[in-house]
Amino acid sequence: MPPPPSRRTFLQLTGLSAASVALGVSAPATADATPGRPVPSGVFALGVASGDPRPDGFVLWTRLAPTPLAADGHGGMRAHHVPVQYEVAEDERFRRVVRRGLAIATPELAHAVHPEVRGLRPEREYFYRFRVGTEISPVGRTRTLPVHGSRFSFATASCQAWYHGYFPAYRDIARRAPDAVFFLGDYIYEYGIVAGGNLWRQGVTVGPEHGVEIETLEQYRLRYSLFKTDPDLQAAHAVAPWLNSWDDHEVQNNYGADNSIYGIPPELFVHRRAVAYRAFYENLPIGLGSLPKGPDTQVYRRYDVGTLARLNLIDNRQYRDPVPKDDADQQSATRTMLGAKQEQWVYDGLRRSRATWNVLAGGVVLTAITDDRIEQWDGYPANRRRLLTAMRDAAGPSIMLTGDIHRHVAAELKADFADPSSPTVGVELVCSSIGSDGDGADTDQYAKDWLQHPYVKFYNARRGYVHTTLTRSELTAEFVTFPYVETDANAEPRVAASFRSPVDSPRLEAL
């Protein structure tokens, strides 16, 4: 048996050359826009999306897949390049088109395109669409970020196990049309889907190809396709730019760095990570800077909403130290979840920020709950103390946005969680799952673990999302829940709790 491939050979193994990568983003305006071979109808079955907004533009996304659930993972596309035209306009009827371009959908990137549009006006609403031959995509809406900014609204979402339930939360997000959507991890799940077992979404069936834990690039692509066929998810993507990060299930449950907790040797697990990271890039509206190089990619990145807010997306998985061997290891001063380089990037961004608000968005909960939750920040107490110190020393108040636990939580971040009377250095807004774990309940057996702490102000175990608005004077957050998700997508939203946090005092006040 040949030795496992090294990190250096992964780019060659994936078939990505510099030329093919460039074609996946843009092409010369003089390129032929007519496909050399016929393209099947219905190529836009996975919808459209935008992301990574800037004051002058954003990333657009679509993936050609006329048969998105084809068992081979290729979406019904043949292995040839397809020119894809795109338009950006100031109006929904495309009478005032401000940008046109061409991207080449390649089989190397699952026929996904990620054109990066620049040169637009700040704090503006735009509309976009794609065309292949006579096929025209649905119309998407997006926004550029402001240069100064006085108000910014966003939804936070995470954990969308398609097989556990429908996505009424996305229907409501699409209705509210926020300025942006933060997705904080677990966009897909790697588990096999088994009828009579974990398939709780009523009225659907899946083929046997979905019944295994995913390991190959084609399997990851197929799992993204299954989730992205949900019409409410497509609607939420099409209504606002997304800021995507990840947690563990985009690769494997509870993994960290090169380590699987299920016994896969690190030299083999990096291949699993490489194909998972590549499928993540292929299926989401993220920029070329996050294109993987084998098993490595940079998804931590920063956006400034003028001087109103600095948005920091962090990566809780790729650089973390392994699960601690014992208590001494857990308390080690050198232990890190973020890795040295990302830690410094976060602290520098907080120190240099002159924004009214500093927002950090990641996969796992920062608030201290019990020492047993070693897979979350409780397993990295020294790194947590360093991060809380950086929040305390920042010029503006800090907000932590997280998910992962399938519960809504509102908490105040303490300088020292062992001393509840210590200063509050920020607030944490934990969004529940979109569908994972099914219907849920208003409370459950874990509520006492959270609510025993005076700094935890709210706990709810229903499915839902958080809608947040930032102004120069305050933050307001609504924790939106749904009474059911397993039976259909028609559940009506309920605001289970609302809070405000004044800019001059990092605390949570119930509304």
Side-chain angles (χ1 to χ4, degrees):
M1 177 182 293
S6 68
R7 287 174 177 269
R8 293 183 179 180
T9 63
F10 269 113
L11 190 60
Q12 288 81 6
L13 289 175
T14 58
L16 291 177
S17 66
S20 68
V21 168
L23 289 174
V25 178
S26 62
T30 56
D32 184 3
T34 304
R37 299 176 177 87
V39 175
S41 61
V43 291
F44 297 110
L46 295 178
V48 299
S50 69
D52 287 4
R54 305 285 181 180
D56 69 336
F58 31 72
V59 175
L60 301 180
W61 174 92
T62 195
R63 177 181 158 207
L64 308 183
T67 314
L69 300 184
D72 62 5
H74 297 303
M77 294 295 293
R78 296 181 178 179
H80 58 77
H81 294 182
V82 179
V84 181
Q85 296 173 298
Y86 62 90
E87 291 182 311
V88 178
E90 294 179 334
D91 66 300
E92 197 167 4
R93 300 183 69 178
F94 290 81
R95 290 174 174 171
R96 300 189 303 278
V97 174
V98 294
R99 288 291 182 277
R100 288 188 174 92
L102 189 70
I104 307 300
T106 69
E108 292 87 354
L109 291 176
H111 291 96
V113 293
H114 299 74
E116 300 187 12
V117 180
R118 294 291 182 262
L120 302 178
R121 293 188 290 177
E123 202 167 5
R124 296 289 178 139
E125 179 181 69
Y126 289 96
F127 299 89
Y128 61 94
R129 64 186 178 187
F130 297 89
R131 183 193 301 267
V132 174
T134 59
E135 295 283 309
I136 300 176
S137 76
V139 173
R141 168 195 177 271
T142 190
R143 289 187 64 86
T144 51
L145 295 180
V147 172
H148 299 292
S150 59
R151 185 182 184 277
F152 183 66
S153 69
F154 57 86
T156 51
S158 72
C159 304
Q160 53 184 36
W162 177 93
Y163 41 88
H164 282 176
Y166 290 87
F167 297 162
Y170 284 137
R171 177 173 295 185
D172 199 50
I173 288 172
R175 177 187 64 82
R176 296 180 75 152
D179 295 325
V181 176
F182 285 87
F183 191 85
L184 304 178
D186 297 346
Y187 194 96
I188 61 165
Y189 281 70
E190 81 283 13
Y191 303 135
I193 305 173
V194 181
N198 61 5
L199 184 56
W200 304 344
R201 179 185 277 221
Q202 297 182 19
V204 300
T205 58
V206 295
E209 63 274 12
H210 298 283
V212 298
E213 180 170 333
I214 51 180
E215 298 178 345
T216 69
L217 176 59
E218 289 75 19
Q219 288 173 326
Y220 278 104
R221 286 171 171 172
L222 180 58
R223 191 60 56 86
Y224 276 98
S225 294
L226 176 64
F227 283 39
K228 292 177 80 69
T229 56
D230 184 273
D232 294 317
L233 173 57
Q234 289 192 18
H237 267 302
V239 80
W242 280 43
L243 300 165
N244 282 90
S245 187
W246 57 33
D247 193 23
D248 52 342
H249 289 288
E250 285 87 356
V251 180
Q252 187 186 53
N253 184 42
N254 289 345
Y255 91 97
D258 293 346
N259 298 288
S260 164
I261 68 168
Y262 300 107
I264 302 175
E267 65 271 18
L268 298 179
F269 187 70
V270 291
H271 181 268
R272 173 83 170 260
R273 204 175 84 172
V275 296
Y277 285 5
R278 181 164 154 195
F280 178 87
Y281 174 81
E282 290 173 349
N283 285 280
L284 292 169
I286 53 180
L288 186 60
S290 295
L291 176 73
K293 296 178 175 62
D296 304 302
T297 189
Q298 182 174 320
V299 297
Y300 65 86
R301 52 206 193 277
R302 178 174 294 131
Y303 309 86
D304 287 324
V305 185
T307 56
L308 176 63
R310 169 159 283 189
L311 313 177
N312 304 273
L313 270 68
I314 60 177
D315 181 351
N316 296 122
R317 289 289 163 186
Q318 191 173 181
Y319 314 108
R320 61 164 57 193
D321 287 333
V323 171
K325 299 184 291 292
D326 50 38
D327 288 344
D329 187 21
Q330 184 173 343
Q331 299 300 324
S332 170
T334 61
R335 188 165 168 74
T336 179
M337 177 182 280
L338 301 179
K341 182 178 179 181
Q342 185 183 194
E343 270 202 58
Q344 195 59 51
W345 175 85
V346 170
Y347 305 153
D348 288 346
L350 289 171
R351 186 180 67 254
R352 296 171 181 169
S353 173
R354 296 298 176 264
T356 301
W357 300 95
N358 293 300
V359 179
L360 297 97
V364 293
V365 173
L366 183 64
T367 300
I369 302 303
T370 72
D371 290 339
D372 294 335
R373 299 176 185 271
I374 58 174
E375 198 269 330
Q376 298 178 357
W377 278 95
D378 286 330
Y380 301 81
N383 193 171
R384 177 164 57 194
R385 287 192 295 271
R386 293 191 294 271
L387 179 56
L388 292 169
T389 297
M391 289 181 175
R392 181 199 65 194
D393 294 342
S398 295
I399 308 159
M400 191 75 183
L401 308 175
T402 58
D404 179 56
I405 62 170
H406 309 169
R407 309 294 190 275
H408 277 326
V409 174
E412 295 175 345
L413 298 172
K414 310 302 289 186
D416 180 2
F417 280 109
D419 177 11
S421 64
S422 66
T424 299
V425 302
V427 300
E428 182 167 21
L429 308 176
V430 185
C431 65
S432 185
S433 70
I434 293 293
S436 303
D437 281 348
D439 290 342
D442 287 334
T443 190
D444 61 14
Q445 69 271 30
Y446 301 111
K448 62 181 185 301
D449 294 338
W450 294 83
L451 295 174
Q452 66 177 318
H453 301 290
Y455 45 79
V456 175
K457 306 301 181 182
F458 175 68
Y459 177 93
N460 183 283
R462 291 284 184 193
R463 306 301 141 238
Y465 70 97
V466 181
H467 185 275
T468 303
T469 301
L470 302 178
T471 68
R472 295 287 178 181
S473 60
E474 65 179 9
L475 165 157
T476 56
E478 295 179 341
F479 288 82
V480 183
T481 64
F482 296 84
Y484 58 86
V485 297
E486 296 177 26
T487 54
D488 59 50
N490 295 315
E492 290 296 320
R494 180 177 77 92
V495 177
S498 298
F499 294 89
R500 70 180 291 268
S501 184
V503 73
D504 58 355
S505 177
R507 65 183 186 275
L508 290 170
E509 300 174 354
L511 294 175

